[in-house]
Amino acid sequence: MSTILIIEQILNGLQFGIMLFLMAAGLTLIFGVMGLINLAHGSLYMIGAFAAAAVAGATGSFLLALAAAMAAAALIGAIVEMTVIRRLYATDHLDQVLATFALILIFSEGTRWIFGSLPLYLNIPSWLAGPVTLPGGIQYPLYRLTLIAVGLLVWLGLWWLIERTRLGIQIRAGENDREMIAALGINISKLYTLVFALGAALAGLAGALVGTIQSVQVGMGEPVLILAFVVIVIGGIGSIKGAFVGALLVGLTSTLGGVFLPELFKLFTDPATAQSAGASLASMSIYILMSLVLIWRPTGLFGARA
Amino acid sequence: MIRERYLNLAVLAGLLALALWALAGDQPFTITLLTKVVILGLAAAGLNIALGIGGLVSLGHAVFFGLGGYAMGILAFHAQNFAPLELGPLSIAGTKSMPVIWLAAIAVSAAVAVVIGLLSLRTSGVYFIMITLAFGQMFYYFAISWSVYGGEDGLSIYVRNGFPGLNTLDPIQFFGICLAILCLVLLLSDRLARSPFGLALNAARQVPVRVETVGLSPTRLKLLAFVISGAITGLAGALYADLNRFVSPTMFSWQLSGELMVLVILGGVGRLIGPVVGAAIFVALEHLLGGLTEFWHIWLGVILLLIVLFARGGVVGLISPRRVGHD
């Protein structure tokens, strides 16, 4: 096992984690501010990917595709918030889970209706294709490095938005005491729509970026959604910092586990058994990580004490 | 407005009458659909104990459904291969006998429910939903990679398991077995809800602090409810596997957990017959809309959304509204 391989896998894990962060940030913001569990967040990811694929197919421009992904997801997010989600804030989690589960059914089948069941493909633009050489002679795909950079930029942007702007003050105030900020004259339903659309846009962006490495198809959102839930539960629901740390932990655990657990098992048993046992343990590893974190800290690493 | 008791009896009698009608008209497929309603209703009735009485929003009940399914699959697999199941020093012969399989399904589900419950009940609210979901995913991925029992492809059982004195291959007889079990379980649920345990559990859902001050442990009450709930769903899983003569990791999938929850809500949370009504509507929609359009899930989604937004008590709540007590 060479150092180069290990560094490559760590970068892969980082890239995966950063993409999870884009999903998890929206989820955790929406939960923190509105107290809503949004299972349909994965659908917004899928919508972003499909919008990007459609626009990239029509115009050939990757940047336009990304913009379309964010715009489509934000727009649909805002519409859904105003028509359905808004009625769920006052209800319990059970109703929220069900209503957003219903939204998944509607969005998934609706997308299948419009685009068909065959996967679409988004190409990496030529100016981001190919490998770059990192210090130490490691060859790594430029596109994946870009993903890491974009994710870090989004993280910085979110930090700035929440800590340094007027909107951020309102969001933080909304997390703490929604009656009070409504009483202070903030239009709370507009704020909620805005936060929801922001979360949706991040999910759409993630969908378009990841859709470029994988294929764009119906149902692509749900596996990512569940991972994003794992992330925010590990990090503590409502905390952006928690989402970031959780995303990196999950990304690294999942990627490194998949590569190194089978290798580790080969030290004890024959290769075939090691491969299957290692692979199964690796796919379970993040859920085991999550249970351990919750048993140790029932409200996540950075969650408020219940 | 219909009294709930009469509605319960009417639904069960209606299922039986439909099955007999299908038998007279020689429509075995309809009987199979009705059997599916009964089994899914049973699985959701299990969930209803945790969800309806205990207020435990478990998004991982597919774990028990799947465990029941795999209990059946593994025992029958060893019986059809004439190879005993080697568990360390133990060597267990497979079996094709339904009662034995049911006991195994119940035991395994209950044992796993104890472990999952103990760990998950440390958390509450959203965290509880998510940790149960995570356990579901753990089992799902484990089943996928467990190549001895088919891995991703699942496990086929060629002949349906037997029940002493009955021919289970005859659809109506298998339906009868399932319906009898459902009635028994519903009777038990009803007793449970009225028992001191059920009342205490109900109180633990509403005001845990008060329950604690009278010297009961809400966590232990909820744990017991979770275990009973899991055992029932596990039993339903074994029957479902027998209905299809097939087990696969999808029985563990989170969509299935979500669907079980949908059944409960569609029918009416905490209502005795709610899960069965929910299952009947679900299977009917799947069958009717599925025949009309390939995209029937859209309409299922729309109906579900309307029920959550506008008919909070589910269908049973619409037919037989519950008088609102003092809060």
Side-chain angles (χ1 to χ4, degrees):
Chain A
M1 182 113 339
S2 64
T3 339
I4 291 184
L5 179 69
I6 294 177
I7 293 177
E8 257 178 30
Q9 293 304 334
I10 288 177
L11 282 173
N12 280 343
L14 277 179
Q15 178 258 309
F16 183 41
I18 293 264
M19 286 302 109
L20 283 177
F21 169 69
L22 290 186
M23 282 288 284
L27 267 181
T28 207
L29 257 183
I30 290 168
F31 187 84
V33 179
M34 289 96 103
L36 176 95
I37 313 179
N38 180 23
L39 291 188
H41 209 65
S43 300
L44 296 164
Y45 171 90
M46 177 188 71
I47 286 167
F50 272 93
V55 168
T59 66
S61 159
F62 184 68
L63 289 178
L64 270 182
L66 286 189
M70 292 179 73
L75 182 68
I76 292 183
I79 293 173
V80 167
E81 199 276 341
M82 287 191 276
T83 49
V84 178
I85 302 285
R86 184 168 286 183
R87 299 163 193 272
L88 298 171
Y89 296 141
T91 63
D92 58 12
H93 292 324
L94 180 60
D95 284 350
Q96 299 175 350
V97 166
L98 276 156
T100 51
F101 187 76
L103 287 176
I104 294 184
L105 295 178
I106 296 172
F107 280 128
S108 294
E109 290 302 298
T111 311
R112 204 193 304 277
W113 205 347
I114 299 170
F115 289 93
S117 298
L118 290 176
L120 302 178
Y121 295 95
L122 256 169
N123 291 322
I124 297 177
S126 54
W127 44 278
L128 284 177
V132 282
T133 310
L134 297 177
I138 301 161
Q139 297 268 319
Y140 196 73
L142 175 61
Y143 185 72
R144 286 176 183 259
L145 270 188
T146 317
L147 291 192
I148 297 180
V150 169
L152 290 175
L153 275 178
V154 168
W155 179 47
L156 275 177
L158 268 181
W159 175 83
W160 174 78
L161 178 80
I162 288 173
E163 300 291 329
R164 290 286 182 272
T165 65
R166 191 158 188 85
L167 177 66
I169 294 175
Q170 294 175 358
I171 291 177
R172 277 181 290 147
E175 285 180 357
N176 288 322
D177 194 335
R178 61 185 83 177
E179 278 90 10
M180 184 54 99
I181 73 158
L184 289 174
I186 311 289
N187 184 343
I188 192 112
S189 58
K190 213 165 101 190
L191 178 69
Y192 282 3
T193 311
L194 207 63
V195 170
F196 198 86
L198 174 68
L202 290 179
L205 176 65
L209 290 175
V210 176
T212 311
I213 336 184
Q214 298 164 356
S215 59
V216 176
Q217 56 188 327
V218 174
M220 65 187 284
E222 279 65 55
V224 184
L225 169 82
I226 294 183
L227 291 181
F229 270 125
V230 171
V231 165
I232 65 172
V233 166
I234 287 179
I237 299 179
S239 156
I240 297 273
K241 185 168 71 175
F244 190 74
V245 174
L248 294 188
L249 266 179
V250 168
L252 287 171
T253 308
S254 153
T255 309
L256 297 182
V259 180
F260 296 116
L261 277 175
E263 296 294 328
L264 186 71
F265 276 51
K266 275 181 196 155
L267 301 176
F268 310 108
T269 54
D270 61 288
T273 327
Q275 192 62 42
S276 74
S280 63
L281 193 63
S283 54
M284 292 162 71
S285 60
I286 54 164
Y287 302 103
I288 296 171
L289 173 74
M290 166 175 157
S291 328
L292 290 178
V293 168
L294 280 192
I295 290 160
W296 173 48
R297 281 181 162 224
T299 52
L301 294 177
F302 297 95
R305 294 267 162 259
Chain B
M1 174 171 160
I2 305 171
R3 289 276 296 280
E4 193 171 351
R5 179 178 296 265
Y6 297 129
L7 180 70
N8 297 349
L9 289 174
V11 170
L12 293 173
L15 279 175
L16 183 62
L18 271 176
L20 292 175
W21 172 76
L23 179 70
D26 195 24
Q27 294 177 318
F29 180 64
T30 309
I31 301 181
T32 304
L33 277 184
L34 288 167
T35 316
K36 193 174 169 190
V37 169
V38 169
I39 295 174
L40 287 179
L42 179 68
L47 176 61
N48 201 19
I49 292 178
L51 188 67
I53 317 179
L56 300 169
V57 184
S58 159
L59 198 48
H61 252 55
V63 167
F64 310 115
F65 200 64
L67 281 173
Y70 271 88
M72 172 274 180
I74 289 170
L75 285 174
F77 172 77
H78 284 286
Q80 86 187 6
N81 289 3
F82 302 103
L85 170 62
E86 308 284 353
L87 268 181
L90 280 173
S91 173
I92 305 169
T95 175
K96 296 286 284 179
S97 159
M98 277 190 188
V100 180
I101 287 171
W102 296 343
L103 282 181
I106 291 174
V108 171
S109 308
V112 172
V114 171
V115 177
I116 294 184
L118 271 176
L119 298 176
S120 307
L121 283 169
R122 288 176 50 86
T123 66
S124 61
V126 199
Y127 290 94
F128 182 83
I129 302 179
M130 293 306 146
I131 198 170
T132 47
L133 176 66
F135 277 114
Q137 293 297 101
M138 255 187 243
F139 277 87
Y140 176 69
Y141 285 113
F142 182 74
I144 280 189
S145 53
W146 205 13
S147 49
V148 187
Y149 298 114
E152 206 163 351
D153 300 329
L155 202 58
S156 280
I157 300 302
Y158 304 119
V159 182
R160 188 172 284 158
N161 297 304
F163 188 88
L166 290 174
N167 174 15
T168 53
L169 289 173
D170 182 9
I172 192 74
Q173 296 197 25
F174 185 59
F175 172 81
I177 294 176
C178 295
L179 186 66
I181 292 180
L182 176 69
C183 291
L184 262 175
V185 165
L186 288 183
L187 206 66
L188 182 116
S189 302
D190 190 40
R191 278 294 155 98
L192 197 79
R194 290 162 202 271
S195 70
F197 164 71
L199 296 176
L201 181 64
N202 222 325
R205 183 191 75 222
Q206 296 175 16
V207 216
V209 181
R210 278 197 201 169
V211 175
E212 226 163 346
T213 40
V214 297
L216 293 167
S217 155
T219 310
R220 277 177 60 184
L221 290 166
K222 287 178 179 172
L223 179 64
L224 187 53
F226 193 73
V227 172
I228 297 173
S229 164
I232 295 173
T233 304
L235 175 60
L239 289 171
Y240 194 72
D242 239 331
L243 175 70
N244 299 322
R245 276 164 277 172
F246 177 64
V247 203
S248 76
T250 39
M251 284 185 81
F252 282 119
S253 71
W254 80 278
Q255 281 90 347
L256 202 126
S257 294
E259 274 174 18
L260 287 179
M261 224 142 109
V262 168
L263 301 185
V264 176
I265 311 299
L266 211 56
V269 188
R271 307 302 288 260
L272 190 61
I273 205 71
V276 185
V277 174
I281 296 173
F282 187 84
V283 172
L285 280 178
E286 182 178 28
H287 187 61
L288 296 177
L289 292 177
L292 292 178
T293 158
E294 195 189 329
F295 306 106
W296 73 278
H297 271 112
I298 292 189
W299 303 111
L300 177 69
V302 171
I303 292 170
L304 188 61
L305 205 54
L306 292 177
I307 287 196
V308 175
L309 292 180
F310 302 110
R312 306 295 287 284
V315 174
V316 175
L318 282 178
I319 302 172
S320 166
R322 185 171 275 176
R323 274 164 296 167
V324 179
H326 298 286
D327 258 330

PDB file of all heavy atoms in Angstrom, chain B residues 193-217:
ATOM      1  N   ALA B 193     -53.639  -2.022  24.570  1.00  0.00           N
ATOM      2  CA  ALA B 193     -53.891  -0.585  24.678  1.00  0.00           C
ATOM      3  C   ALA B 193     -54.732  -0.277  25.916  1.00  0.00           C
ATOM      4  O   ALA B 193     -54.602   0.791  26.506  1.00  0.00           O
ATOM      5  CB  ALA B 193     -54.603  -0.092  23.421  1.00  0.00           C
ATOM      6  N   ARG B 194     -55.592  -1.226  26.307  1.00  0.00           N
ATOM      7  CA  ARG B 194     -56.445  -0.978  27.478  1.00  0.00           C
ATOM      8  C   ARG B 194     -55.798  -1.411  28.776  1.00  0.00           C
ATOM      9  O   ARG B 194     -56.283  -1.093  29.855  1.00  0.00           O
ATOM     10  CB  ARG B 194     -57.752  -1.753  27.340  1.00  0.00           C
ATOM     11  CG  ARG B 194     -58.649  -1.215  26.273  1.00  0.00           C
ATOM     12  CD  ARG B 194     -59.675  -2.270  25.913  1.00  0.00           C
ATOM     13  NE  ARG B 194     -60.209  -2.026  24.582  1.00  0.00           N
ATOM     14  CZ  ARG B 194     -61.272  -1.263  24.348  1.00  0.00           C
ATOM     15  NH1 ARG B 194     -61.904  -0.710  25.340  1.00  0.00           N
ATOM     16  NH2 ARG B 194     -61.689  -1.073  23.115  1.00  0.00           N
ATOM     17  N   SER B 195     -54.731  -2.222  28.686  1.00  0.00           N
ATOM     18  CA  SER B 195     -54.107  -2.760  29.897  1.00  0.00           C
ATOM     19  C   SER B 195     -53.398  -1.640  30.662  1.00  0.00           C
ATOM     20  O   SER B 195     -53.158  -0.570  30.117  1.00  0.00           O
ATOM     21  CB  SER B 195     -53.095  -3.828  29.502  1.00  0.00           C
ATOM     22  OG  SER B 195     -52.003  -3.197  28.864  1.00  0.00           O
ATOM     23  N   PRO B 196     -53.060  -1.890  31.926  1.00  0.00           N
ATOM     24  CA  PRO B 196     -52.291  -0.897  32.678  1.00  0.00           C
ATOM     25  C   PRO B 196     -51.025  -0.490  31.932  1.00  0.00           C
ATOM     26  O   PRO B 196     -50.661   0.690  31.882  1.00  0.00           O
ATOM     27  CB  PRO B 196     -51.945  -1.626  33.973  1.00  0.00           C
ATOM     28  CG  PRO B 196     -53.014  -2.639  34.131  1.00  0.00           C
ATOM     29  CD  PRO B 196     -53.420  -3.043  32.751  1.00  0.00           C
ATOM     30  N   PHE B 197     -50.383  -1.487  31.284  1.00  0.00           N
ATOM     31  CA  PHE B 197     -49.174  -1.171  30.522  1.00  0.00           C
ATOM     32  C   PHE B 197     -49.482  -0.183  29.397  1.00  0.00           C
ATOM     33  O   PHE B 197     -48.781   0.813  29.201  1.00  0.00           O
ATOM     34  CB  PHE B 197     -48.573  -2.457  29.943  1.00  0.00           C
ATOM     35  CG  PHE B 197     -47.569  -2.211  28.847  1.00  0.00           C
ATOM     36  CD1 PHE B 197     -46.330  -1.675  29.142  1.00  0.00           C
ATOM     37  CD2 PHE B 197     -47.878  -2.488  27.521  1.00  0.00           C
ATOM     38  CE1 PHE B 197     -45.412  -1.429  28.142  1.00  0.00           C
ATOM     39  CE2 PHE B 197     -46.961  -2.233  26.513  1.00  0.00           C
ATOM     40  CZ  PHE B 197     -45.735  -1.715  26.835  1.00  0.00           C
ATOM     41  N   GLY B 198     -50.579  -0.465  28.663  1.00  0.00           N
ATOM     42  CA  GLY B 198     -50.945   0.403  27.547  1.00  0.00           C
ATOM     43  C   GLY B 198     -51.263   1.810  28.011  1.00  0.00           C
ATOM     44  O   GLY B 198     -50.867   2.800  27.383  1.00  0.00           O
ATOM     45  N   LEU B 199     -51.972   1.907  29.123  1.00  0.00           N
ATOM     46  CA  LEU B 199     -52.330   3.228  29.643  1.00  0.00           C
ATOM     47  C   LEU B 199     -51.086   3.992  30.065  1.00  0.00           C
ATOM     48  O   LEU B 199     -50.939   5.186  29.785  1.00  0.00           O
ATOM     49  CB  LEU B 199     -53.291   3.078  30.821  1.00  0.00           C
ATOM     50  CG  LEU B 199     -54.652   2.447  30.451  1.00  0.00           C
ATOM     51  CD1 LEU B 199     -55.496   2.257  31.689  1.00  0.00           C
ATOM     52  CD2 LEU B 199     -55.380   3.307  29.433  1.00  0.00           C
ATOM     53  N   ALA B 200     -50.175   3.254  30.724  1.00  0.00           N
ATOM     54  CA  ALA B 200     -48.939   3.904  31.171  1.00  0.00           C
ATOM     55  C   ALA B 200     -48.123   4.367  29.964  1.00  0.00           C
ATOM     56  O   ALA B 200     -47.549   5.458  29.952  1.00  0.00           O
ATOM     57  CB  ALA B 200     -48.119   2.943  32.028  1.00  0.00           C
ATOM     58  N   LEU B 201     -48.116   3.518  28.913  1.00  0.00           N
ATOM     59  CA  LEU B 201     -47.370   3.852  27.711  1.00  0.00           C
ATOM     60  C   LEU B 201     -47.960   5.100  27.048  1.00  0.00           C
ATOM     61  O   LEU B 201     -47.233   6.009  26.628  1.00  0.00           O
ATOM     62  CB  LEU B 201     -47.422   2.674  26.745  1.00  0.00           C
ATOM     63  CG  LEU B 201     -46.681   2.832  25.435  1.00  0.00           C
ATOM     64  CD1 LEU B 201     -45.198   2.980  25.683  1.00  0.00           C
ATOM     65  CD2 LEU B 201     -46.929   1.627  24.542  1.00  0.00           C
ATOM     66  N   ASN B 202     -49.287   5.123  26.987  1.00  0.00           N
ATOM     67  CA  ASN B 202     -49.976   6.277  26.431  1.00  0.00           C
ATOM     68  C   ASN B 202     -49.586   7.544  27.195  1.00  0.00           C
ATOM     69  O   ASN B 202     -49.310   8.597  26.604  1.00  0.00           O
ATOM     70  CB  ASN B 202     -51.485   6.050  26.582  1.00  0.00           C
ATOM     71  CG  ASN B 202     -52.219   6.463  25.338  1.00  0.00           C
ATOM     72  OD1 ASN B 202     -51.830   7.427  24.694  1.00  0.00           O
ATOM     73  ND2 ASN B 202     -53.266   5.741  24.991  1.00  0.00           N
ATOM     74  N   ALA B 203     -49.560   7.402  28.509  1.00  0.00           N
ATOM     75  CA  ALA B 203     -49.182   8.544  29.340  1.00  0.00           C
ATOM     76  C   ALA B 203     -47.730   8.922  29.099  1.00  0.00           C
ATOM     77  O   ALA B 203     -47.382  10.102  29.053  1.00  0.00           O
ATOM     78  CB  ALA B 203     -49.407   8.213  30.807  1.00  0.00           C
ATOM     79  N   ALA B 204     -46.875   7.902  28.910  1.00  0.00           N
ATOM     80  CA  ALA B 204     -45.449   8.189  28.702  1.00  0.00           C
ATOM     81  C   ALA B 204     -45.246   8.947  27.401  1.00  0.00           C
ATOM     82  O   ALA B 204     -44.305   9.730  27.270  1.00  0.00           O
ATOM     83  CB  ALA B 204     -44.658   6.883  28.677  1.00  0.00           C
ATOM     84  N   ARG B 205     -46.130   8.711  26.430  1.00  0.00           N
ATOM     85  CA  ARG B 205     -46.025   9.455  25.174  1.00  0.00           C
ATOM     86  C   ARG B 205     -46.419  10.903  25.401  1.00  0.00           C
ATOM     87  O   ARG B 205     -45.773  11.823  24.917  1.00  0.00           O
ATOM     88  CB  ARG B 205     -46.948   8.828  24.128  1.00  0.00           C
ATOM     89  CG  ARG B 205     -46.825   9.507  22.768  1.00  0.00           C
ATOM     90  CD  ARG B 205     -47.916   9.077  21.819  1.00  0.00           C
ATOM     91  NE  ARG B 205     -49.173   9.696  22.157  1.00  0.00           N
ATOM     92  CZ  ARG B 205     -50.347   9.075  22.144  1.00  0.00           C
ATOM     93  NH1 ARG B 205     -50.407   7.808  21.846  1.00  0.00           N
ATOM     94  NH2 ARG B 205     -51.445   9.714  22.457  1.00  0.00           N
ATOM     95  N   GLN B 206     -47.502  11.095  26.189  1.00  0.00           N
ATOM     96  CA  GLN B 206     -48.035  12.447  26.323  1.00  0.00           C
ATOM     97  C   GLN B 206     -47.285  13.282  27.349  1.00  0.00           C
ATOM     98  O   GLN B 206     -46.874  14.399  27.059  1.00  0.00           O
ATOM     99  CB  GLN B 206     -49.524  12.365  26.664  1.00  0.00           C
ATOM    100  CG  GLN B 206     -50.300  11.716  25.527  1.00  0.00           C
ATOM    101  CD  GLN B 206     -51.758  11.515  25.865  1.00  0.00           C
ATOM    102  OE1 GLN B 206     -52.265  12.098  26.812  1.00  0.00           O
ATOM    103  NE2 GLN B 206     -52.432  10.694  25.098  1.00  0.00           N
ATOM    104  N   VAL B 207     -47.137  12.760  28.548  1.00  0.00           N
ATOM    105  CA  VAL B 207     -46.450  13.535  29.598  1.00  0.00           C
ATOM    106  C   VAL B 207     -45.448  12.645  30.333  1.00  0.00           C
ATOM    107  O   VAL B 207     -45.748  12.131  31.410  1.00  0.00           O
ATOM    108  CB  VAL B 207     -47.442  14.083  30.656  1.00  0.00           C
ATOM    109  CG1 VAL B 207     -47.017  15.446  31.124  1.00  0.00           C
ATOM    110  CG2 VAL B 207     -48.852  14.067  30.160  1.00  0.00           C
ATOM    111  N   PRO B 208     -44.266  12.444  29.747  1.00  0.00           N
ATOM    112  CA  PRO B 208     -43.308  11.523  30.369  1.00  0.00           C
ATOM    113  C   PRO B 208     -42.958  11.908  31.817  1.00  0.00           C
ATOM    114  O   PRO B 208     -42.740  11.031  32.645  1.00  0.00           O
ATOM    115  CB  PRO B 208     -42.083  11.599  29.463  1.00  0.00           C
ATOM    116  CG  PRO B 208     -42.355  12.658  28.470  1.00  0.00           C
ATOM    117  CD  PRO B 208     -43.790  12.992  28.490  1.00  0.00           C
ATOM    118  N   VAL B 209     -42.961  13.213  32.086  1.00  0.00           N
ATOM    119  CA  VAL B 209     -42.553  13.637  33.426  1.00  0.00           C
ATOM    120  C   VAL B 209     -43.510  13.097  34.484  1.00  0.00           C
ATOM    121  O   VAL B 209     -43.101  12.607  35.539  1.00  0.00           O
ATOM    122  CB  VAL B 209     -42.491  15.178  33.503  1.00  0.00           C
ATOM    123  CG1 VAL B 209     -42.055  15.614  34.887  1.00  0.00           C
ATOM    124  CG2 VAL B 209     -41.543  15.709  32.462  1.00  0.00           C
ATOM    125  N   ARG B 210     -44.797  13.157  34.190  1.00  0.00           N
ATOM    126  CA  ARG B 210     -45.779  12.675  35.161  1.00  0.00           C
ATOM    127  C   ARG B 210     -45.632  11.179  35.392  1.00  0.00           C
ATOM    128  O   ARG B 210     -45.774  10.694  36.504  1.00  0.00           O
ATOM    129  CB  ARG B 210     -47.195  12.955  34.668  1.00  0.00           C
ATOM    130  CG  ARG B 210     -47.616  14.360  34.949  1.00  0.00           C
ATOM    131  CD  ARG B 210     -49.120  14.468  34.825  1.00  0.00           C
ATOM    132  NE  ARG B 210     -49.485  15.849  34.606  1.00  0.00           N
ATOM    133  CZ  ARG B 210     -50.687  16.246  34.255  1.00  0.00           C
ATOM    134  NH1 ARG B 210     -51.631  15.353  34.049  1.00  0.00           N
ATOM    135  NH2 ARG B 210     -50.942  17.507  34.084  1.00  0.00           N
ATOM    136  N   VAL B 211     -45.359  10.459  34.290  1.00  0.00           N
ATOM    137  CA  VAL B 211     -45.193   9.020  34.429  1.00  0.00           C
ATOM    138  C   VAL B 211     -44.017   8.725  35.351  1.00  0.00           C
ATOM    139  O   VAL B 211     -44.074   7.844  36.195  1.00  0.00           O
ATOM    140  CB  VAL B 211     -44.973   8.383  33.044  1.00  0.00           C
ATOM    141  CG1 VAL B 211     -44.673   6.911  33.172  1.00  0.00           C
ATOM    142  CG2 VAL B 211     -46.199   8.593  32.177  1.00  0.00           C
ATOM    143  N   GLU B 212     -42.971   9.515  35.186  1.00  0.00           N
ATOM    144  CA  GLU B 212     -41.791   9.313  36.002  1.00  0.00           C
ATOM    145  C   GLU B 212     -42.082   9.610  37.481  1.00  0.00           C
ATOM    146  O   GLU B 212     -41.607   8.908  38.363  1.00  0.00           O
ATOM    147  CB  GLU B 212     -40.650  10.206  35.496  1.00  0.00           C
ATOM    148  CG  GLU B 212     -39.351   9.455  35.395  1.00  0.00           C
ATOM    149  CD  GLU B 212     -38.334  10.171  34.536  1.00  0.00           C
ATOM    150  OE1 GLU B 212     -38.709  11.112  33.807  1.00  0.00           O
ATOM    151  OE2 GLU B 212     -37.167   9.785  34.612  1.00  0.00           O
ATOM    152  N   THR B 213     -42.899  10.649  37.718  1.00  0.00           N
ATOM    153  CA  THR B 213     -43.167  11.011  39.116  1.00  0.00           C
ATOM    154  C   THR B 213     -44.015   9.968  39.823  1.00  0.00           C
ATOM    155  O   THR B 213     -43.970   9.884  41.045  1.00  0.00           O
ATOM    156  CB  THR B 213     -43.886  12.376  39.234  1.00  0.00           C
ATOM    157  OG1 THR B 213     -44.847  12.470  38.213  1.00  0.00           O
ATOM    158  CG2 THR B 213     -42.915  13.517  39.160  1.00  0.00           C
ATOM    159  N   VAL B 214     -44.810   9.177  39.077  1.00  0.00           N
ATOM    160  CA  VAL B 214     -45.530   8.127  39.778  1.00  0.00           C
ATOM    161  C   VAL B 214     -44.693   6.853  39.882  1.00  0.00           C
ATOM    162  O   VAL B 214     -45.184   5.812  40.306  1.00  0.00           O
ATOM    163  CB  VAL B 214     -46.899   7.789  39.130  1.00  0.00           C
ATOM    164  CG1 VAL B 214     -47.820   8.981  39.188  1.00  0.00           C
ATOM    165  CG2 VAL B 214     -46.734   7.282  37.718  1.00  0.00           C
ATOM    166  N   GLY B 215     -43.436   6.936  39.482  1.00  0.00           N
ATOM    167  CA  GLY B 215     -42.519   5.833  39.742  1.00  0.00           C
ATOM    168  C   GLY B 215     -42.374   4.836  38.609  1.00  0.00           C
ATOM    169  O   GLY B 215     -41.848   3.760  38.799  1.00  0.00           O
ATOM    170  N   LEU B 216     -42.842   5.204  37.393  1.00  0.00           N
ATOM    171  CA  LEU B 216     -42.640   4.316  36.258  1.00  0.00           C
ATOM    172  C   LEU B 216     -41.529   4.879  35.383  1.00  0.00           C
ATOM    173  O   LEU B 216     -41.318   6.089  35.351  1.00  0.00           O
ATOM    174  CB  LEU B 216     -43.919   4.212  35.438  1.00  0.00           C
ATOM    175  CG  LEU B 216     -45.097   3.526  36.114  1.00  0.00           C
ATOM    176  CD1 LEU B 216     -46.369   3.775  35.337  1.00  0.00           C
ATOM    177  CD2 LEU B 216     -44.833   2.035  36.233  1.00  0.00           C
ATOM    178  N   SER B 217     -40.844   3.984  34.674  1.00  0.00           N
ATOM    179  CA  SER B 217     -39.784   4.457  33.784  1.00  0.00           C
ATOM    180  C   SER B 217     -40.304   4.538  32.356  1.00  0.00           C
ATOM    181  O   SER B 217     -40.605   3.509  31.748  1.00  0.00           O
ATOM    182  CB  SER B 217     -38.593   3.507  33.863  1.00  0.00           C
ATOM    183  OG  SER B 217     -37.858   3.590  32.670  1.00  0.00           O
TER     184      SER B 217
END
